[in-house]
Amino acid sequence: LRAGLAENAQLLACARPVLATRLEGMEMIEQSGAGCLVPADDIMAMRKSLSELLELPASQQAEMGRRGREWVEGHASWRQAAERVRDLV
């Protein structure tokens, strides 16, 4: 299973911390600083990461969400897409 840019951008654009499984295409979640990835078949890692995320202060959770939103605006916005198409032409 592979997550696409559009699906991940939607997750990040919500400006909320993201916890997801480590699958191809999900790297932007960690790269953006908006969340963390855990192995797809490791329920204990998911449980631990979720607990850690929920224990973070609200301000730190909000910061993670803000970083994700900023990543989308800088890498996956309609403007960015249009510029990539323009550069191809």
Side-chain angles (χ1 to χ4, degrees):
L1 196 102
R2 183 181 188 287
L5 176 63
E7 291 86 0
N8 290 334
Q10 289 174 4
L11 288 173
L12 297 176
C14 291
R16 299 286 186 260
V18 177
L19 174 61
T21 54
R22 186 176 302 282
L23 299 172
E24 184 181 351
M26 301 296 278
E27 301 83 12
M28 68 181 68
I29 292 169
E30 285 184 329
Q31 291 169 356
S32 68
C36 62
L37 301 176
V38 297
D41 59 351
D42 191 342
I43 191 69
M44 294 308 292
M46 178 67 79
R47 180 178 175 197
K48 180 178 183 275
S49 294
L50 180 57
S51 293
E52 291 171 355
L53 181 62
L54 293 173
E55 290 174 6
L56 291 175
S59 60
Q60 195 169 349
Q61 292 180 19
E63 175 63 20
M64 291 173 73
R66 184 190 61 73
R67 285 190 298 244
R69 177 69 184 206
E70 286 178 356
W71 188 95
V72 169
E73 291 171 353
H75 294 88
S77 68
W78 283 110
R79 173 174 284 182
Q80 293 293 323
E83 289 174 2
R84 283 192 296 273
V85 169
R86 182 198 64 212
D87 293 344
L88 291 173
V89 181

